[in-house]
Amino acid sequence: MKKDQIFEFFRRLAEANPAPETELAYGNTYQLLVAVTISAQATDVGVNKATRRLFEEVKTPAQMVALGEEGLKAHIKSIGLFNTKAKNVIALSEILVRDHGGEVPADRDALTALPGVGRKTANVVLNTAFGMETFAVDTHIFRVGNRTGLAKGKTPEAVEAGLDKKVPGPFRLGAHHWLILHGRYVCKARTPECWRCGVVDLCGFKGKVLEQGAKPPVTKKKVARTKKA
């Protein structure tokens, strides 16, 4: 995708949704960190359902530590891997209390040093809570980046680097929200809804589904030839 096409790509997404934001529910930066940390392999809807009562009770790391691991499990047991996630959240809360005065640090290295917090989670927090121009590459952004030709890469890190290099200044802050929402609701994994996509003419995907109800074209997989022994 060329430079002018990328600008137009984001211009249209911005026009359709001028103020994109995460669909995770939270009341403060600490709750955002917790929500993102437990969202791995879970839907935002599922996380919000699990944290609704939790966040009424717990608003600070100290309160989470007081709740304890078993108490947290009772709230998030509907989410996959809840045992490991509860252990990590209690551990990171203890570190925030001990080393950061109960505050979430606005620093990627400090965030990724916390149990259960990877680069993607750190980037979400830095962008959403602290207004930094970061690109949190989840499965949706990874797919959209590669499928459209916006930022191709074999790893999330490669796609992130491509976005960091290519996304124009006016759209950098909201870019990862637009891409996540676009991947979640339009550029879907199994059957992209190209027939209602506002950037379809800019997209480099060869298997576009241009009619509602149609299926993606079947592509033949290349079989690697091997030399005889």
Side-chain angles (χ1 to χ4, degrees):
M1 197 179 292
K2 296 180 180 179
K3 187 175 181 179
D4 58 337
Q5 292 176 311
I6 293 174
F7 188 94
E8 180 61 15
F9 182 95
F10 283 105
R11 188 199 67 76
R12 293 184 195 176
L13 294 182
E15 183 178 49
N17 183 6
E21 57 185 24
T22 179
E23 292 186 320
L24 288 171
Y26 66 97
N28 58 38
T29 303
Y30 171 68
Q31 290 182 341
L32 172 65
L33 174 62
V34 172
V36 181
T37 300
I38 67 175
S39 69
Q41 300 181 39
T43 65
D44 286 0
V45 172
V47 172
N48 290 342
K49 183 177 179 180
T51 59
R52 187 173 296 115
R53 290 186 178 180
L54 171 66
F55 287 165
E56 290 176 357
E57 180 180 349
V58 175
K59 296 177 173 60
T60 68
Q63 289 174 338
M64 186 69 78
V65 173
L67 176 65
E69 192 172 325
E70 293 304 316
L72 177 55
K73 286 180 183 179
H75 282 283
I76 67 171
K77 60 185 178 181
S78 61
I79 299 177
L81 305 175
F82 71 92
N83 286 313
T84 299
K85 292 175 180 179
K87 181 178 180 179
N88 285 335
V89 169
I90 295 300
L92 73 82
S93 299
E94 290 173 341
I95 293 173
L96 291 178
V97 172
R98 185 188 70 216
D99 299 339
H100 300 282
E103 299 294 327
V104 177
D107 178 83
R108 183 185 284 114
D109 290 339
L111 286 169
T112 54
L114 297 172
V117 178
R119 186 178 180 89
K120 185 198 76 173
T121 295
N123 282 343
V124 172
V125 173
L126 292 173
N127 178 275
T128 304
F130 299 109
M132 296 186 187
E133 296 175 350
T134 57
F135 306 92
V137 179
D138 68 349
T139 56
H140 296 299
I141 292 184
F142 185 79
R143 178 176 66 255
V144 172
N146 278 286
R147 180 183 278 171
T148 63
L150 174 63
K152 292 185 176 182
K154 294 183 178 180
T155 65
E157 291 77 14
V159 172
E160 180 185 343
L163 292 172
D164 191 30
K165 181 180 179 180
K166 295 180 179 180
V167 177
F171 309 112
R172 293 178 66 82
L173 186 60
H176 101 263
H177 292 298
W178 284 312
L179 294 175
I180 287 173
L181 295 173
H182 190 65
R184 183 174 292 163
Y185 297 113
V186 180
C187 197
K188 300 177 181 179
R190 291 189 178 182
T191 306
E193 298 181 0
C194 310
W195 48 271
R196 68 180 188 88
C197 175
V199 292
V200 64
D201 57 310
L202 303 171
C203 172
F205 184 46
K206 294 182 179 179
K208 293 175 182 175
V209 181
L210 299 175
E211 294 184 10
Q212 186 174 0
K215 298 294 182 182
V218 177
T219 56
K220 295 182 179 179
K221 295 183 178 180
K222 293 182 179 180
V223 178
R225 293 183 179 181
T226 58
K227 293 182 179 180
K228 294 181 179 180

